Amino acid sequence: MSVISIPDFNQTIPIDKVGVEERVSRLNKRSIKKESKVQALNLALSMIDLTTLEGKDSEGKVIQMCSKARMPYAPMPHLPSVAAVCVYPNMVTTAKKALKGTSINVASVATAFPSGMAQLQVKLDDTKFAVDSGADEIDMVISRGEFLKGNYNFIFDEIAAIKEVCGEAHLKVILETGELETYENVRTASDIAMYAGADFIKTSTGKISPAATQPVTLVMLEAIRDFYGDTGIMVGMKPAGGIRKAKEALQYLVLVKETLGAAWLTPDWFRFGASSLTNDLLMQIVKQETGVYQSLHYFSED
Amino acid sequence: MSDRIDVLKTYKTYVGGKFPRSESDRTYKVKNSNDKIVANACRCTRKDVRDAVLAARAASKDWSGRSAYNRGQVLYRIAEMLEGRKDQFIKELELLGMKSKEAIYEVELSVDRLIYYAGWTDKYPQVFGTVNPVASSHFNFSTPEPTGVVGIIASDTDPLLSIISLIAPVIAGGNTCVILASESNPLPAVSFGEVLHASDVPGGVVNILTGYREEMVDHLSSHMDVNAVLNTIFDKKTRKLIDENASISVKRVVHYDSKNWADDTHENPYLILDFQETKTTWHPVGV
Amino acid sequence: MSEKTKENEAEATANGSPKPTSPNADLKHDFASFWNYSPAPESSDFVEIRKQYQHYIDGSFSVPAKKRYFKSINPATEEVLAEFAEGTSEDVDKAVKAARKAYDKVWSKLPARERGKYIYRIARMIQERARELAIIESMDGGKPIRESRDVDVPLAAAYFFYYAGWADKLDYAFPGRKAEPVGVCGQIIPWNFPLLMLAWKIAPALATGNTVVLKPAETTSLTALKFAEICMDAGLPAGVVNIVTGAGQTGAAIVDHPDINKIAFTGSTEVGKIIQKSLAGTDKKFTLELGGKGPNIIFEDASVDQAVEGIVNAIFFNQGHVCCAGSRLLVQEGIADKLIKKLKQRMETLIVGDPLDKNTDIGAINSKMQFNKINEYIEIGIKEGATIHQSNSSNLPDKGYFCKPTIFTGVAQSNRIVQEEIFGPVLTIQTFRTPEEAVEKANNTPYGLAGGIWTDKGSKIFKISQKLRSGVVWANTFNKFDPTSPFGGYKESGVGREGGLHGLYPYVNLK
């Protein structure tokens, strides 16, 4: 790999809001029917980071969620399992144990999630604890306050430092786009994260509204495309929060397909940070198979 | 006193801010209403038409780019200059056979008409421009812009007032023009060229030719670099010729039916609008 | 990057689960090998298309005087869709008489408010039958259903809705003047937006109190006759709207009819000039909406990804059958390579095919004649030494007239493909260094309909917009239309405006 030259992040890359939203709305008009729909529903299911990130999380809840991750719908055992479960650091051991023998990853949020309002050392320790507990993936948050101040070097260095602590674990960098306000900011933050070593860039913590939106995701996918074009390095994408319906999931997949292409249409390069999405995908899959519209009463809520 | 020999004036054309003779070097006799020869006027040819259109085109960029305020001031300046030479024009009209009272009325109304249009330059875009409430997230507005080079075929009646009534709305709107002055009464038009020259009108904005109409109308109305034609001649054959010629390059054509140039229908902004194009600009609205 | 990586990728994608961990050598994106959309055809089974259609004159369907008919082809299947009456001067005369009678006896006597209510009715009925009209438009003209459904038909309804409201408010439209209708209007419309152009013509004409005789294009007459049904359903008085079908001869009969007060034409500059000439020496008013060769100027500081999208909208919308298409791309040098690379990438995701499939981006070329013309121009471009690039991802259907999205680089301003309107999905790309040069190239054409400017700098937009000699300037967007927004050309792109308040002028005499 040739030496990667790091761009000047102060140089704003102009993005036209209306144009981005028009592009999304045009992509939303793709009609996904029949086989392509079944294929996409299964694909989306396999891309889920099944997530629980609440103060009241218990080991019991995590274990139940892991069980759902392994076998999303017992009557249809051939369905794919989800890509990962996503938990707080102190639940990693529990999840890891519950998923033993599967290929499902355990992702852990870290770095004083969700606000990121802590000293670097605290964040590094938080990350190290999660990694040592067995986390395969780390979902870190950036310091939005520093970002909005224009302190881009701070953001870059922080991500690079966390990446180092991650070791083998994949690093997903959460931009918390709902606090960045403009698409230009989202683009800059994406670039900083990628150049600093992110394996994935991720929209949101799920604790701030708006969480993931399709226009934000498109901007990030385009950033990934440019980064790939400039460096030859693939980076993954994870929209998280607010994606509840199968239909939306398919729309996201269309965004990925038509922006980055087939290579990114795999759980290795694209994830959904979601929980209730799983059951809606399952309902649609069952509907496709049986022809009968489904009710949530028949699907386990874990 | 009576011994003094009057100095007679040579009437030339007004093209590109200069006063050339016709390239043909030919003239024709101008008579007054008593059939008395009063002057020789240039008998311009198609080559003079060509030169005048070139001059008008060359002046177009600067004139159309002037601020509306500036164009208003320039028009006002023309009025001031004309006011200062009132006596000259009154005499000239009298020489052509007009009664003194009529001549005074025509000159004074001409000044007032210039002032009328001077006042419109920075207002007609407000009256005829629009902000259009489109359904999408776009800011959308329409503004009038000058059509470009206008060929004017002037009237034989009220020779000063008519030419001012024709020129003023055209240049107030940022166009430049080439005028074929009245064939029978060209003198006030040429003298008006001197007024234009003495005011702040850039050379080439108004170009005035004299001569036989039928030797020039065809070339003016077919010229590919003329964007519009304003015609005051009633004759059906002439009108048809102009219309047909215009179709070669999709020119805009306006025929005026007026016989009474003192009529206040000649003071209205819709006459400016005749030689305006509407430009509509769209832009997204978003942070 | 190694061959091995490429192989791995291919292998992985073949089994449906691609797992490339490192990129292929040329960093190309693969948009085609995995998860392709299944066909999603819009069902047309509820659409009723008769074998034969008559003129619509004086409130009823009327057999043509000479009893001759011509066939209309579905350009996507090359099958005959229906037969239409061939309009002769007798038919036109009958229609004009009906329009005159309706104008004198009914329409000009109707209170403006009631007139408006009829137009509102029409707007609503178009909305009610929107899907049907969209399907017919796609079958008849070849345009993708996504566009007929989302653009043509809703906009057509919106134009009627907008102008309906003007009917009783005309006193406020022209300060200091009173508007009077001109009388009977002859209207001739093109095949690229059949129903929408009909709306652009009929809505303002009726709102201002005129009656009309309209001739749709011979390859796309169907929605006009469906519109005739709507007029009947709306109870519009007989003769207010008359539709005569036919080709150029029929149009000429309308232009030449002595009892028509105004001609409105949308079509080629060539025909526009003929019409203007035919009208010479008459008192008929006219508006012309003619051709274009729109410049689309991309500056270095533009939002690149949105600009690429804008370029696609500018030239590939409606197969490039758009008079205001951005068919000449002018790119600032510093950004040219990057932009063209992105454009080529984007072109790979354009789906060319069945107009009725909801996923189709580019449908069928409207007619065999136009198909041949576009292909001729593509050959001319190659002969002129330009470099051609066409998208590969979408296989063209075996039947029907389809054309791949095409761009030409290495073109000169003097090339015919740069100068002449192709009216197809063919883009020429030139570069420039300074804004002055861009403006010069942009304006260096007899046309002046529309242009695009892409830059993040507001002051630059206004400056360049002022300098462009064209009736519409799309800044950081392209090919947007709205009933409130005036549309029309400078120079040889036409005379007069359609849409918005300005669109009322051509249909009134001001007293």
Side-chain angles (χ1 to χ4, degrees):
Chain A
M1 191 60 62
S2 57
V3 180
I4 293 167
S5 61
I6 294 169
D8 174 6
F9 299 120
N10 285 305
Q11 196 84 42
T12 304
I13 294 175
I15 293 176
D16 184 71
K17 177 175 185 281
V18 175
V20 169
E21 288 164 8
E22 275 176 6
R23 175 68 180 134
V24 167
S25 109
R26 176 161 175 180
L27 285 166
N28 285 171
K29 284 175 182 157
R30 291 295 189 211
S31 177
I32 311 300
K33 300 281 182 229
K34 302 188 184 112
E35 305 82 52
S36 60
K37 184 167 185 181
V38 174
Q39 192 184 359
L41 291 168
N42 280 282
L43 185 61
L45 186 61
S46 75
M47 290 170 160
I48 286 179
D49 281 5
L50 205 52
T51 303
T52 183
L53 294 169
E54 287 172 23
K56 63 182 185 198
D57 281 350
S58 64
E59 290 183 355
K61 183 175 181 190
V62 170
I63 289 166
Q64 280 192 47
M65 192 175 78
C66 289
S67 150
K68 177 106 178 171
R70 297 164 77 131
M71 175 78 68
Y73 185 55
M76 295 172 79
H78 60 277
L79 292 181
S81 55
V82 303
V85 296
C86 183
V87 294
Y88 273 116
N90 57 357
M91 290 292 165
V92 169
T93 328
T94 308
K96 203 64 199 169
K97 206 188 290 171
L99 292 171
K100 204 163 183 183
T102 70
S103 60
I104 300 167
N105 284 345
V106 173
S108 172
V109 297
T111 68
F113 182 93
S115 72
M117 300 290 263
Q119 300 300 313
L120 178 61
Q121 195 53 50
V122 175
K123 296 182 183 182
L124 292 172
D125 290 347
D126 196 19
T127 309
K128 191 167 187 317
F129 173 74
V131 173
D132 289 349
S133 305
D136 305 291
E137 302 171 4
I138 296 297
D139 291 22
M140 72 167 285
V141 291
I142 64 165
S143 302
R144 282 88 76 189
E146 293 299 325
F147 180 90
L148 292 172
K149 263 197 260 173
N151 203 350
Y152 299 148
N153 288 340
F154 180 96
I155 306 295
F156 186 96
D157 294 344
E158 195 174 60
I159 295 169
I162 301 288
K163 169 73 179 172
E164 210 174 315
V165 176
C166 282
E168 289 292 296
H170 270 212
L171 176 64
K172 303 198 197 98
V173 177
I174 302 172
L175 311 181
E176 195 64 303
T177 54
E179 288 186 341
L180 301 185
E181 305 240 347
T182 69
Y183 293 132
E184 274 99 348
N185 278 347
V186 171
R187 170 70 195 227
T188 303
S190 301
D191 287 347
I192 294 171
M194 290 188 291
Y195 279 97
D199 297 298
F200 262 72
I201 50 177
K202 175 177 169 183
T203 59
S204 323
T205 60
K207 304 294 180 193
I208 292 282
S209 184
T213 68
Q214 291 188 48
V216 156
T217 302
L218 179 63
V219 168
M220 292 169 73
L221 291 171
E222 284 170 347
I224 291 171
R225 184 171 65 190
D226 288 347
F227 182 72
Y228 174 67
D230 291 342
T231 67
I233 299 169
M234 285 176 80
V235 171
M237 171 71 204
K238 178 178 173 184
I243 307 165
R244 295 189 179 85
K245 296 291 173 196
K247 190 176 175 181
E248 290 170 69
L250 301 198
Q251 288 173 338
Y252 275 95
L253 292 182
V254 169
L255 257 58
V256 177
K257 174 179 165 61
E258 300 209 18
T259 311
L260 295 171
W264 270 264
L265 284 172
T266 132
D268 289 345
W269 298 109
F270 191 77
R271 297 279 180 83
F272 290 107
S275 44
S276 60
L277 173 64
T278 317
N279 275 346
D280 201 58
L281 284 169
L282 290 170
M283 289 209 297
Q284 298 307 318
I285 290 170
V286 176
K287 151 75 179 51
Q288 288 295 313
E289 215 147 289
T290 63
V292 176
Y293 290 107
Q294 298 297 303
S295 157
L296 264 181
H297 293 303
Y298 298 84
F299 295 84
S300 63
E301 306 240 18
D302 298 283
Chain B
M1 276 292 280
S2 57
D3 295 342
R4 188 174 180 277
I5 305 294
D6 286 347
V7 179
L8 293 177
K9 175 169 158 183
T10 303
Y11 285 87
K12 299 199 281 187
T13 70
Y14 182 55
V15 175
K18 296 193 166 66
F19 297 95
R21 291 193 173 85
S22 164
E23 69 74 48
S24 72
D25 253 352
R26 287 187 291 182
T27 55
Y28 72 107
K29 310 238 174 284
V30 178
K31 297 171 182 173
N32 70 6
S33 55
N34 299 321
D35 222 23
K36 185 175 166 258
I37 293 166
V38 292
N40 291 309
C42 292
R43 183 174 157 190
C44 293
T45 64
R46 61 192 165 91
K47 288 189 180 166
D48 296 305
V49 169
R50 176 200 62 192
D51 292 346
V53 172
L54 266 177
R57 174 58 63 199
S60 174
K61 196 175 171 186
D62 168 41
W63 185 240
S64 64
R66 297 280 181 107
S67 70
Y69 178 56
N70 180 260
R71 285 206 306 270
Q73 294 223 317
V74 170
L75 259 85
Y76 191 84
R77 184 74 181 156
I78 304 172
E80 285 179 337
M81 291 295 106
L82 186 59
E83 176 87 14
R85 297 179 184 210
K86 253 165 66 177
D87 292 344
Q88 177 198 336
F89 279 90
I90 292 165
K91 271 189 194 146
E92 202 164 79
L93 292 174
E94 285 169 352
L95 181 71
L96 292 167
M98 204 179 261
K99 287 193 185 106
S100 168
K101 214 172 142 190
E102 284 169 15
I104 293 169
Y105 178 69
E106 173 155 352
V107 175
E108 286 180 346
L109 186 53
S110 295
V111 173
D112 291 352
R113 194 152 283 175
L114 279 165
I115 287 171
Y116 174 81
Y117 283 106
W120 264 119
T121 58
D122 50 7
K123 295 166 195 71
Y124 76 86
Q126 293 182 304
V127 175
F128 298 114
T130 53
V131 171
N132 311 306
V134 296
S136 53
S137 294
H138 293 91
F139 183 67
N140 176 304
F141 61 97
S142 298
T143 45
E145 285 188 352
T147 299
V149 174
V150 181
I152 302 177
I153 298 142
S155 163
D156 288 330
T157 49
D158 301 339
L160 178 68
L161 180 60
S162 66
I163 208 164
I164 283 169
S165 304
L166 294 166
I167 292 171
V170 167
I171 65 172
N175 299 284
T176 60
C177 57
V178 173
I179 301 129
L180 307 187
S182 158
E183 188 173 316
S184 54
N185 277 331
L187 305 186
V190 175
S191 299
F192 183 60
E194 292 156 16
V195 170
L196 292 169
H197 192 66
S199 60
D200 301 323
V201 185
V205 170
V206 180
N207 303 279
I208 302 171
L209 302 178
T210 58
Y212 296 147
R213 224 175 258 130
E214 67 169 16
E215 291 179 352
M216 294 184 288
V217 168
D218 192 13
H219 300 290
L220 181 63
S221 59
S222 65
H223 198 300
M224 298 295 276
D225 214 15
V226 169
N227 301 102
V229 180
L230 169 52
N231 169 49
T232 61
I233 305 303
F234 293 105
D235 170 53
K236 276 205 164 143
K237 227 179 86 191
T238 308
R239 287 195 171 190
K240 192 167 181 201
L241 173 76
I242 292 169
D243 287 348
E244 283 184 351
N245 280 342
S247 74
I248 303 171
S249 58
V250 196
K251 290 181 186 67
R252 293 86 175 100
V253 180
V254 178
H255 299 292
Y256 282 179
D257 294 324
S258 182
K259 279 196 168 142
N260 179 9
W261 293 92
D263 192 324
D264 65 8
T265 58
H266 290 288
E267 289 179 7
N268 87 71
Y270 290 90
L271 301 178
I272 302 175
L273 206 59
D274 280 343
F275 300 100
Q276 296 291 307
E277 306 292 319
T278 300
K279 174 175 281 174
T280 300
T281 305
W282 294 69
H283 196 276
V285 177
V287 184
Chain C
M1 212 54 59
S2 71
E3 281 300 308
K4 199 161 169 275
T5 316
K6 264 192 186 169
E7 270 168 36
N8 285 348
E9 193 183 352
E11 194 185 309
T13 50
N15 67 21
S17 164
K19 292 200 171 179
T21 48
S22 52
N24 50 16
D26 47 8
L27 304 185
K28 271 197 174 153
H29 293 263
D30 159 25
F31 296 108
S33 71
F34 175 68
W35 189 43
N36 288 312
Y37 310 132
S38 305
E42 180 73 48
S43 156
S44 59
D45 52 9
F46 73 105
V47 174
E48 191 196 316
I49 298 174
R50 274 181 269 150
K51 278 217 165 93
Q52 192 181 70
Y53 285 89
Q54 317 299 338
H55 299 311
Y56 174 66
I57 296 174
D58 206 11
S60 64
F61 291 103
S62 150
V63 175
K66 292 260 162 66
K67 302 208 168 42
R68 283 203 299 260
Y69 294 85
F70 63 93
K71 293 179 170 56
S72 182
I73 307 288
N74 176 340
T77 61
E78 299 180 52
E79 283 159 11
V80 174
L81 193 65
E83 270 189 3
F84 295 94
E86 194 181 306
T88 56
S89 50
E90 291 100 311
D91 300 323
V92 168
D93 187 55
K94 195 173 152 191
V96 173
K97 284 201 168 93
R100 176 62 61 193
K101 192 181 74 187
Y103 176 75
D104 288 341
K105 301 247 162 81
V106 187
W107 201 240
S108 62
K109 298 210 165 93
L110 203 64
R113 174 162 301 184
E114 304 306 313
R115 207 166 68 214
K117 278 155 71 181
Y118 277 119
I119 305 169
Y120 277 124
R121 271 194 193 177
I122 290 171
R124 278 299 203 219
M125 284 183 175
I126 291 174
Q127 288 175 331
E128 284 165 17
R129 294 175 66 174
R131 191 54 62 94
E132 177 196 356
L133 290 166
I135 292 167
I136 292 174
E137 204 73 310
S138 286
M139 290 172 80
D140 199 14
K143 65 173 62 206
I145 186 78
R146 182 180 60 79
E147 289 174 7
S148 52
R149 180 196 65 202
D150 298 344
V151 183
D152 291 63
V153 177
L155 261 182
Y159 272 82
F160 278 103
F161 206 85
Y162 172 77
Y163 279 111
W166 268 122
D168 59 355
K169 299 167 191 71
L170 295 173
D171 288 346
Y172 300 92
F174 311 101
R177 286 287 180 280
K178 189 167 165 43
E180 288 175 3
V182 295
V184 175
C185 302
Q187 307 180 315
I188 300 164
I189 58 172
W191 45 260
N192 56 344
F193 296 93
L195 185 69
L196 184 57
M197 289 301 109
L198 175 148
W200 283 31
K201 296 280 179 287
I202 294 184
L206 296 194
T208 45
N210 303 282
T211 58
V212 305
V213 175
L214 176 131
K215 185 193 89 65
E218 68 270 29
T219 60
T220 55
S221 306
L222 197 42
T223 42
L225 289 157
K226 286 282 165 185
F227 179 79
E229 289 174 11
I230 287 174
C231 291
M232 290 166 99
D233 293 348
L236 190 72
V240 172
V241 168
N242 302 277
I243 289 163
V244 180
T245 50
Q249 295 284 317
T250 319
I254 293 175
V255 171
D256 294 337
H257 197 288
D259 200 32
I260 279 182
N261 304 97
K262 184 220 149 70
I263 295 290
F265 170 77
T266 298
S268 70
T269 293
E270 191 190 347
V271 177
K273 287 177 177 177
I274 295 170
I275 291 176
Q276 190 177 358
K277 194 173 178 191
S278 320
L279 295 173
T282 71
D283 288 332
K284 287 176 199 167
K285 285 167 80 100
F286 63 89
T287 40
L288 303 171
E289 211 71 84
L290 309 177
K293 191 74 184 175
N296 199 6
I297 306 170
I298 321 285
F299 287 100
E300 280 168 356
D301 55 359
S303 46
V304 184
D305 287 308
Q306 287 78 58
V308 167
E309 213 45 39
I311 295 165
V312 167
N313 285 334
I315 188 61
F316 300 130
F317 175 55
N318 200 34
Q319 298 73 246
H321 302 329
V322 186
C323 45
C324 51
S327 49
R328 287 186 295 142
L329 186 65
L330 301 171
V331 196
Q332 201 159 16
E333 267 180 7
I335 205 180
D337 290 345
K338 186 173 161 192
L339 184 93
I340 293 167
K341 186 181 147 203
K342 277 173 179 274
L343 175 61
K344 286 179 176 171
Q345 231 170 49
R346 173 69 177 93
M347 282 164 67
E348 293 304 307
T349 64
L350 288 169
I351 301 173
V352 185
D354 178 9
L356 283 181
D357 191 304
K358 292 171 201 159
N359 288 322
T360 293
D361 294 306
I362 297 177
I365 301 303
N366 184 269
S367 66
K368 182 150 199 188
M369 209 176 86
Q370 188 59 28
F371 180 66
N372 291 340
K373 185 182 156 192
I374 294 167
N375 287 329
E376 265 167 45
Y377 270 111
I378 290 176
E379 276 170 33
I380 289 168
I382 294 167
K383 275 195 198 131
E384 285 178 322
T387 309
I388 187 173
H389 173 87
Q390 294 185 306
S391 66
N392 308 303
S393 57
S394 199
N395 291 324
L396 302 186
D398 299 333
K399 264 171 79 179
Y401 315 127
F402 292 93
C403 181
K404 284 187 173 180
T406 304
I407 59 175
F408 278 108
T409 49
V411 298
Q413 186 75 14
S414 58
N415 288 162
R416 281 184 66 194
I417 52 169
V418 175
Q419 287 290 324
E420 297 171 21
E421 187 178 36
I422 299 173
F423 226 61
V426 181
L427 178 71
T428 62
I429 304 179
Q430 295 166 274
T431 57
F432 68 87
R433 284 187 180 170
T434 63
E436 190 63 31
E437 188 188 346
V439 169
E440 219 165 82
K441 283 192 164 119
N443 285 338
N444 183 11
T445 159
Y447 295 116
L449 191 48
I453 306 168
W454 297 81
T455 164
D456 204 38
K457 190 175 177 186
S459 56
K460 185 148 68 183
I461 287 170
F462 288 117
K463 187 70 193 173
I464 304 295
S465 170
Q466 265 178 14
K467 287 188 168 190
L468 285 186
R469 298 293 291 159
S470 67
V472 180
V473 175
W474 283 296
N476 292 325
T477 186
F478 213 101
N479 270 342
K480 288 280 182 297
F481 307 94
D482 191 278
T484 66
S485 176
F487 180 94
Y490 285 30
K491 302 197 280 185
E492 290 197 9
S493 285
V495 184
R497 291 293 174 271
E498 293 184 316
L501 187 155
H502 297 79
L504 295 169
Y505 280 89
Y507 291 99
V508 295
N509 289 323
L510 297 180
K511 302 284 171 181

